[in-house]
């Protein structure tokens, strides 16, 4: 079963996607392992925290073109800012208009109510149990999130709603790659660099489908290793997180990628095998 970017959805256009397991059980197992919650932090005692991400200068003039007039969502939707991290909603969740959680918008079961969900999360694939929202602030009671492009909503802060920083989200993924066009061409705007510097020498990746294993993050840069097994038709590590096997690559190509530019995400994140 091949991984597909952000859920390997895009790569599925260029590379066959095979499945051998019943989808709901596979999704539950993978997401339970990948998004197991850990961090316990101290939050403010009342109201939404004023902690915000750094000022982002990327133009917000281009409203999310991936959402049409019928409010249909793509897998990866543009947002006005990337915030302080992401909230991984459980398969059954509630969403509110206010931080006190008094004005409920709806209660949804992703698997049963997919056609009823009328707003977009950053990463949206409810039939696979995926609705991951950008979090812009949090309190002892609620997470302040973005829906669609810049609308503010709230999720309850309970153990079922998992907060991940962007660093955690990326490093715990199955892998990453640079953005690709609808025809599968890899973006050359942000090349793989030998150092975390826009003026550092560029590195050339082998031909084939691109996949990197994220190793470290420093600011807007991510250190990656090329997945030497990804293009193998008989990949014995198929379906495993890249960190399980990346050390078995002999002399793997290692470099640095920009993963964000202001409020724009510059990589595709593989959330599932």
């Amino acid at each position: 079963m091949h991984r597909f970017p952000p859920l390997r959805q895009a790569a599925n256009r260029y590379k066959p996607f095979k499945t051998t397991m019943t989808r709901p059980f596979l999704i539950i197992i993978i997401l339970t392992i990948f998004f197991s919650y850990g961090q316990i932090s101290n939050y403010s005692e009342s109201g939404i925290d004023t902690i915000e991400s750094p000022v982002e200068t990327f133009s917000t003039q281009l409203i999310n073109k991936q959402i049409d007039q019928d409010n249909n969502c793509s897998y990866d939707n543009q947002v006005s800012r990337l915030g302080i991290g992401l909230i991984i909603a459980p398969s059954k969740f509630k969403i509110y208009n206010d931080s006190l959680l008094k004005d409920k918008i709806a209660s949804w079961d992703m698997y049963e109510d997919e056609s009823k969900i009328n707003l977009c999360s950053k990463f949206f694939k409810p039939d696979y149990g995926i609705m991951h929202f950008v979090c812009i602030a949090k309190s002892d009671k609620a997470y302040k999130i973005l829906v669609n492009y810049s609308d503010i909503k709230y999720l309850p802060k309970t153990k079922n709603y998992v907060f991940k920083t962007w660093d955690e989200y990326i490093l715990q993924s199955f892998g990453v790659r640079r953005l690709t066009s609808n025809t599968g061409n890899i973006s050359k705007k942000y090349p793989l660099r030998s150092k975390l510097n826009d003026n550092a020498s560029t590195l050339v990746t082998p031909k084939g489908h691109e996949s990197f294993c994220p190793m470290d993050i420093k600011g807007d840069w991510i250190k990656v290793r090329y997945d030497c097994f990804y293009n193998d038709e008989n990949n014995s590590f198929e379906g495993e997180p890249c960190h399980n096997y990346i050390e078995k690559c002999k002399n793997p190509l290692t470099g640095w990628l920009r993963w964000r530019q202001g409020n724009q995400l510059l990589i595709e994140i593989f959330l599932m095998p």
Side-chain angles (χ1 to χ4, degrees), residues 62-74:
L62 296 175
I63 303 300
N64 194 350
K65 293 183 177 180
Q66 300 182 64
I67 303 176
D68 64 22
Q69 291 180 348
D70 295 324
N71 203 40
N72 292 329
C73 309
S74 296

Side-chain angles (χ1 to χ4, degrees), residues 37-102:
Y37 35 87
Q39 282 190 319
I40 299 178
S41 303
N42 293 322
Y43 305 121
S44 63
E45 295 182 357
S46 63
I48 289 292
D49 291 348
T50 57
I51 299 174
E52 297 285 349
S53 56
V55 175
E56 296 159 323
T57 58
F58 182 78
S59 173
T60 58
Q61 214 169 14
L62 296 175
I63 303 300
N64 194 350
K65 293 183 177 180
Q66 300 182 64
I67 303 176
D68 64 22
Q69 291 180 348
D70 295 324
N71 203 40
N72 292 329
C73 309
S74 296
Y75 173 76
D76 182 354
N77 298 290
Q78 294 182 31
V79 286
S80 59
R81 47 182 162 161
L82 294 179
I84 59 176
L86 294 136
I87 304 299
I88 289 79
S91 59
K92 296 180 180 180
F93 71 99
K94 301 176 182 178
I95 189 165
Y96 297 82
N97 275 319
D98 65 307
S99 62
L100 297 178
L101 309 181
K102 301 292 186 181

Side-chain angles (χ1 to χ4, degrees), residues 157-190:
K157 194 186 78 62
T158 68
K159 66 179 183 180
N160 294 324
Y161 297 76
V162 182
F163 172 76
K164 295 284 184 182
T165 65
W166 277 103
D167 288 11
E168 291 171 330
Y169 193 83
I170 293 169
L171 292 174
Q172 294 171 12
S173 70
F174 282 79
V176 301
R177 78 173 181 187
R178 287 174 289 180
L179 297 178
T180 58
S181 67
N182 290 334
T183 57
N185 294 322
I186 299 170
S187 171
K188 294 181 173 58
K189 186 175 181 180
Y190 299 98

